[in-house]
Amino acid sequence: MKFISSRDNPGFKRLRALLDDARMRRTERASIIDGEHLLQAALDADWPIRQLLLREDVLESAVVADVLQRLKNVDPELPVLVMAPALFNALSPVLTPTGMLAEIALPSVLAEDSGAGDVLALAGVQDAGNLGSLLRTAVAAGVTRVWLDAQTTQAWSPKALRAGMGAQFCLAIEEGCDLLPRLTGSSRPVLVTSLGPASVSLYALDLRQPNIWVFGAEGQGVPAVLQALAQHRVRIPMPGKIESLNVGAAAAVCLFEQVRQREVAA
Amino acid sequence: MKFISSRDNPGFKRLRALLDDARMRRTERASIIDGEHLLQAALDADWPIRQLLLREDVLESAVVADVLQRLKNVDPELPVLVMAPALFNALSPVLTPTGMLAEIALPSVLAEDSGAGDVLALAGVQDAGNLGSLLRTAVAAGVTRVWLDAQTTQAWSPKALRAGMGAQFCLAIEEGCDLLPRLTGSSRPVLVTSLGPASVSLYALDLRQPNIWVFGAEGQGVPAVLQALAQHRVRIPMPGKIESLNVGAAAAVCLFEQVRQREVAA
């Protein structure tokens, strides 16, 4: 264990930058996760953890001891950094800091897309909380691969990781994707939600084969150039007086209709 | 039109309090909506609007002229308050203020529950953004009545109104409800999502009759005492490695499975 107590420590400055700066996370291929739940989720997924950061006053806690034991089983040489409470609290991004942070590695080489599973493709989803809960929904629905375009916020920001509740560790996530060639060359049907008149009801589609689902930003929706590539423009029937759902709700409805059809067919 | 330019103006102070203080909103039976979309939604729903607040530099804008005309058609005596830009911007709660705010009345007497439609009942949903998007999903799915318990955040806060995108104007919302007697005495089936072993798959239920859906806070879920009252504890089948959805996604999946069954039956 190493102890740091000064904001001028280079290790502290680096952690601060990983929390605040998306470019720094990309350059270093690293991010920070906060709290026991995300740490356990990372361990469950055999995710590479680079160092553990502890607030000095939680060293005796049973939860910390448990996590530390799991980590040491995986990597006996794992660096552990202990910080004075004031210093740690200046770092931790949530309102109720648990006293545990970890630096994780971002994925480097992803398993190649075999064309077999479902894909969630997102265009211009800018809210990190929305993105995290979209990823969580995707994992729950059995999706294994995610394509994020360059206008979508980073999946590995502390906020997106928090909202994802561990989803990021269960998905092959590609960022900065050019969706146009991927959707053009796809052997899987491309499905895009749309309110337009040329759309087909979600409940009239056969969704049992693997699909590529494309969702867009709140407001703008999916860009027209991508909509034009879709096999189906999908309309969610809405009996009520509001003709829109937020993107997270729309994706949940579509992906779980797919789950339902496969359950019924099984 | 009345013009104000000082933070010491009592009207300004009252608006500030309506934005910041839930108790003030309850006492005054009023809240503030921000921007053209919510204003048009309120007008579409014939919602009582008490005054319009404009930033001085948008007085010539076509959008403002259109909204103002609609408002004057409803109430020729509607008070219009014009504010110096610096003063207005200190008030407006969003990052890209549109230059238009309005004071709305909170609902006073609600139509009595006839027992005919669906009800969304929420226990301890504390995030205003989550609540707003739950309400939006409810309206889209045709739900007309909402019961919020005392632990749920206010449906009429500026943040919940923003996330609701006008949903609040399409629902009979009762706040501070004691859910226990309501669910005990209900003639409609009470449905609660649950991960427990005694739960039944969402896709095995007949949802064509009107239902009462109960959702709880992230993390804790629905209190055990309410779960015990449910006709069905409902499990959303999840083929993936994450055994949870955020509350907004879970509600969207359940309420739109109900929509699907009614569409298919129709």
Side-chain angles (χ1 to χ4, degrees):
Chain A
M1 287 193 188
K2 207 181 138 189
F3 186 84
I4 62 172
S5 58
S6 158
R7 283 168 194 249
D8 297 328
N9 181 291
F12 179 84
K13 286 185 175 173
R14 182 169 166 281
L15 294 168
R16 180 78 269 163
L18 286 176
L19 284 166
D20 293 341
D21 184 349
R23 272 179 310 177
M24 177 72 172
R25 291 191 290 269
R26 267 195 297 273
T27 311
E28 297 272 311
R29 306 298 306 154
S31 188
I32 306 289
I33 56 174
D34 189 341
E36 189 208 354
H37 179 90
L38 279 176
L39 254 158
Q40 298 280 16
L43 280 161
D44 290 345
D46 297 323
W47 199 265
I49 295 173
R50 291 185 174 170
Q51 61 173 326
L52 181 67
L53 317 159
L54 296 174
R55 201 174 60 213
E56 193 182 9
D57 60 312
V58 301
L59 285 177
E60 308 292 317
S61 110
V63 171
V64 168
D66 178 46
V67 169
L68 198 53
Q69 189 54 56
R70 281 194 78 185
L71 285 165
K72 290 287 188 188
N73 288 346
V74 177
D75 175 9
E77 307 294 313
L78 183 84
V80 178
L81 207 58
V82 178
M83 281 182 253
L87 197 64
F88 185 96
N89 292 339
L91 206 55
S92 182
V94 288
L95 292 173
T96 50
T98 56
M100 269 195 288
L101 297 169
E103 180 182 335
I104 57 165
L106 300 199
S108 43
V109 184
L110 292 173
E112 203 161 321
D113 180 12
S114 66
D118 299 300
V119 177
L120 175 68
L122 300 178
V125 173
Q126 282 170 357
D127 182 82
N130 272 351
L131 176 60
S133 77
L134 279 161
L135 297 178
R136 198 173 154 196
T137 297
V139 174
V143 172
T144 51
R145 188 163 285 268
V146 176
W147 298 341
L148 306 179
D149 76 351
Q151 283 70 52
T152 292
T153 188
Q154 205 180 45
W156 305 97
S157 68
K159 194 174 170 201
L161 282 160
R162 215 148 53 234
M165 303 265 291
Q168 278 87 337
F169 305 134
C170 307
L171 292 164
I173 302 173
E174 295 178 71
E175 301 194 286
C177 297
D178 186 356
L179 294 179
L180 196 61
R182 290 181 186 232
L183 300 181
T184 309
S186 166
S187 60
R188 286 162 288 200
V190 174
L191 304 171
V192 175
T193 51
S194 165
L195 296 171
S199 57
V200 55
S201 164
L202 173 67
Y203 305 127
L205 285 170
D206 183 343
L207 301 170
R208 288 172 296 175
Q209 76 298 333
N211 293 301
I212 299 177
W213 284 96
V214 190
F215 296 96
E218 295 269 344
Q220 295 89 334
V222 174
V225 60
L226 299 181
Q227 288 209 26
L229 292 173
Q231 267 69 43
H232 298 293
R233 299 193 212 183
V234 182
R235 178 177 39 81
I236 301 173
M238 297 187 197
K241 283 186 246 169
I242 280 191
E243 276 294 306
S244 80
L245 288 170
N246 95 18
V247 60
V253 170
C254 293
L255 294 177
F256 276 86
E257 170 57 11
Q258 187 170 271
V259 169
R260 185 194 68 79
Q261 291 191 11
R262 293 172 190 175
E263 287 260 323
V264 170
Chain B
M1 289 196 189
K2 206 180 139 188
F3 185 85
I4 62 172
S5 58
S6 159
R7 283 167 194 253
D8 298 327
N9 181 291
F12 179 83
K13 288 184 174 174
R14 181 169 168 282
L15 294 169
R16 180 78 269 164
L18 285 177
L19 283 167
D20 294 342
D21 185 349
R23 273 179 309 180
M24 177 72 173
R25 291 191 290 270
R26 267 196 297 273
T27 312
E28 297 272 310
R29 305 298 305 154
S31 188
I32 306 288
I33 56 174
D34 188 341
E36 189 206 352
H37 178 90
L38 280 176
L39 254 158
Q40 297 281 16
L43 280 161
D44 290 343
D46 296 324
W47 199 265
I49 296 173
R50 290 183 176 172
Q51 61 173 328
L52 182 67
L53 317 160
L54 296 173
R55 200 175 60 212
E56 194 182 8
D57 61 311
V58 301
L59 285 176
E60 306 294 316
S61 111
V63 170
V64 169
D66 178 46
V67 169
L68 197 55
Q69 190 55 54
R70 279 194 79 184
L71 286 164
K72 291 286 187 188
N73 288 346
V74 178
D75 175 9
E77 308 293 313
L78 182 84
V80 177
L81 207 59
V82 178
M83 280 182 252
L87 197 65
F88 185 95
N89 292 339
L91 206 55
S92 182
V94 287
L95 292 173
T96 49
T98 55
M100 269 195 287
L101 298 169
E103 179 182 336
I104 57 164
L106 301 200
S108 42
V109 184
L110 292 173
E112 202 161 324
D113 180 13
S114 66
D118 299 300
V119 177
L120 175 68
L122 299 178
V125 173
Q126 282 169 357
D127 182 82
N130 271 351
L131 176 60
S133 77
L134 279 161
L135 298 177
R136 199 173 152 195
T137 297
V139 174
V143 172
T144 51
R145 186 164 287 268
V146 176
W147 298 341
L148 307 179
D149 78 350
Q151 283 70 51
T152 292
T153 188
Q154 206 181 44
W156 305 96
S157 68
K159 195 177 169 196
L161 282 160
R162 214 151 49 236
M165 303 266 291
Q168 278 86 340
F169 305 134
C170 306
L171 292 163
I173 300 173
E174 295 177 71
E175 300 194 287
C177 297
D178 186 356
L179 294 180
L180 196 61
R182 290 182 186 229
L183 299 182
T184 309
S186 165
S187 61
R188 285 163 289 201
V190 174
L191 303 172
V192 174
T193 52
S194 164
L195 297 171
S199 57
V200 56
S201 164
L202 173 66
Y203 304 127
L205 285 170
D206 184 342
L207 302 169
R208 288 172 295 176
Q209 75 298 335
N211 293 302
I212 299 176
W213 285 95
V214 190
F215 296 95
E218 294 270 345
Q220 296 90 334
V222 174
V225 60
L226 298 181
Q227 287 209 26
L229 292 173
Q231 267 69 44
H232 297 293
R233 299 193 211 184
V234 182
R235 178 176 39 83
I236 302 174
M238 296 188 198
K241 286 187 244 168
I242 281 191
E243 276 293 305
S244 79
L245 289 170
N246 96 17
V247 60
V253 171
C254 292
L255 294 176
F256 276 87
E257 170 59 10
Q258 188 170 270
V259 168
R260 186 194 68 80
Q261 292 191 9
R262 293 172 189 173
E263 286 259 322
V264 171

